[in-house]
Amino acid sequence: MNPNSGLKDLEAMDSPWKRFWETGLFPFLEISLGLSLGYTLSFLFFVASNELRLVDTSDTSFPVLQAVLLVFFGFGFLLRKYVPKAPKTLLLFLFSGNTLLLVWVYLYASSEFLIDYIFSFQFILLSSALTSFNTGMYCGSIKDFRSLSFALGITLFTFYSLFDIGIIVPLNTLIVVLLFLLEVYLSSIFFKQPSFSIRFYKIRSKIGNHPFFTPFYRSALSMLIAYLGLHLYFQPGPKIPVILSISFALFMGRILSLVNGIRRETKAIYLIGRILLLTGFFFFIYQSYWNYFYIALCIILAGLVGFFKPNNTKVSEYAFVALEAVAYFGLSLLLYHWNLPISLRTLLALLFVPIVSYQFFRTRSTVKIPKYAFVGISGLSVLFFFYPPSIRSTTPFSKKEIYEPIPFKISNIEIAKKDYIFYRTILPQESKSFLPKESEIEDKVVILGLVENTTQMISYIEKLRKENHKFIIFVSRKKNQTSTATNALSLLKRQSFWGYDIYFPAYMERPFQFSDLIPKDWRFKYFQDKLENADTNEIRLQLENTIRYSSGDLRKDALTIKRLYYESYAEYAKYYFRIGQNKLALDAIILARKFENPDIELLRIAYNSLKFTSPEPEFIPILEDLSLQNEFKEFAWNTLIPMFESIGDWKNALFTMESLERYYRDKNEISLAKELELVRVRLYLNQENWKDAEPLINQRAKENPDSVIWERLKNEVLEKKESAKRVYQRPEAREARIQ
């Protein structure tokens, strides 16, 4: 009896399970891993991009983080792609590092990237290096079957995100999921996949080895990489449509390349590839603002990359792709930043042509005419359609000023004090655009406002509280707080003033009291009851009634409080004018003048703001104040006349016009005074006041017989008078007119 027969029988019995593992279970695990990683990475990119809008990218920390991500991702990508067997010691080190990182993120990390970036930047740097290296290793191992599942995962997320824009998932949860998936990937490398299953993964493109088609892949890939870099440079932020178009086009292009019958259509495919690449180059050249045709450009280039991707690519080819992408990117930025005449810029832009056509001249094709035709059409595209990229159309961070004026002068706060650092506060003070970092808030009091990004703000407040940093939050009573903000504020102490509240942590002493100018005796209780929950108009009426009907100390204190309200809103007007927000400055002046007449400084701010603001009826009181000052009279009256006319206030329009006319005659500016007669006539005609309009028109027409304007007005008056007579003679028409 053969001793090995039992072993062979055992292997035969195991073979169905082995086949199931190799051709069923393992491929299923691979496609699940690819789908999950593609989906999770896209989700992570989406959430992180939204969070990055709140990060100060002007300091050195952010470029360092970007460099770490790129370098470690690239190193992991190249290592996995061109080193067949990863060292087991490296795999064990990565597995252990991921495990420790996973535990830290799960137990200690904040749910917002912003908070960890501000308070734990060193750990962010370390974890980013490790995670990007692992992700680079995975992307370097993407081939055939796995690449399709990875692209499908990206496409699924981008489709889903279009239907559910308000996706809210904590970043630490996403990182935990990503780390777990990378651990699964590292385990699969460590234990190796059976050799039999390799045959299952070799899904080969039917045109991937054709030498004529390689230029399409390399040229499209380099142009796509360069365009994505430029698009992010000029318009940073989440790019879901871009990701969707690229992932979907890559996926469909790769699927098309697997069709058996397509390899027989070599000439047609070559012709279509040239046309598509030229079309993509045309869109690339035409990107004057980097927002026209960008979806079409991404679909064309990504489709070419997916369809013409070779089955095997040497590392030297990727080096050429990188050089071309750098050339596209660098030349575009050079043309944008270099101030040259447009003719020289277009000639310099012809350097784009050798970049796109270089790959075609590297092939050994004997047909030279198509090559030269490709170069010629590319050059003509540059000459006729090149527009240097512009940053003018992009608004990466839209600046929204806060308009919630509060009467802060009734407290003893000194907002110019150097011990404070402000962020999005409702006080009239220059604020930081980004949340202050830990190094910036040492020995300072942070003054915050709950105006937007409430979730991040609450996390920031919680971190400040845990670290025992001093901070104060100003909240207007008019603002409706979300439940999240209300719950967070409930953990803090509160000091209430008239119209606003101040919140601060329990370990701080009470930061502010009522102003020393406000009495602390029985009169304070009187004003507290009257003003505590009143709005601006009610406060003004209460103070005016107290001044009118009271005497002695009560009247004196009411005048003081009224002055404090005026000074508070005047500070807002000065602040908004200083930062160029003219409309908000005028709105603050409207509030201030409810309590006192504006002084000359505030009137000068109103005058300069009105010159750059569209006139609105609510500005009429300010213009009337300006008309009382000699230096602003002419401007105020000229602005008031059309405003009164637009709201149908003919009486005030005529009065203002007559005042302006007298002003011009007193200054011997007779020509300007006569021009106002046309305004007077227009006002009469709009009121159908023929009695006053007709004598003036007839007199001026007689004095100026050659004047077309006065003759036309004369005829217009006659026609309107005749029309009015006809209406009067027909009762039904008169009734309709009255109705």
Side-chain angles (χ1 to χ4, degrees), residues 401-409 425-428 474-479 498-500 536 539 565-573 575-576 584-592 595:
E401 293 299 336
I402 305 162
Y403 186 72
E404 287 188 64
I406 58 173
F408 68 95
K409 289 279 188 178
T425 177
I426 58 177
L427 294 174
F474 281 78
V475 179
S476 171
R477 295 264 182 85
K478 293 182 292 184
K479 186 174 180 61
W498 302 331
Y500 64 98
T536 306
I539 290 170
Y565 272 86
Y566 169 80
E567 290 178 354
S568 298
Y569 297 130
E571 282 295 323
Y572 278 98
Y575 164 68
Y576 288 129
L584 296 183
L586 292 168
D587 290 340
I589 292 173
I590 291 173
L591 279 177
F595 295 92

Side-chain angles (χ1 to χ4, degrees), residues 301-356:
L301 295 179
L304 288 172
V305 170
F307 185 78
F308 290 108
K309 182 182 181 302
N311 290 326
N312 295 298
T313 308
K314 298 178 181 178
V315 67
S316 58
E317 297 300 333
Y318 284 111
F320 281 117
V321 168
L323 289 174
E324 289 177 16
V326 169
Y328 279 123
F329 189 85
L331 185 57
S332 298
L333 290 182
L334 182 68
L335 289 167
Y336 169 71
H337 289 292
W338 199 359
N339 189 17
L340 289 173
I342 190 65
S343 56
L344 293 179
R345 291 160 71 85
T346 304
L347 290 175
L348 188 62
L350 286 172
L351 293 177
F352 282 122
V353 177
I355 303 172
V356 75

Side-chain angles (χ1 to χ4, degrees), residues 256-267:
L256 262 174
S257 71
L258 303 177
V259 178
N260 278 320
I262 206 165
R263 60 182 169 185
R264 293 193 293 269
E265 306 296 334
T266 305
K267 292 182 180 179

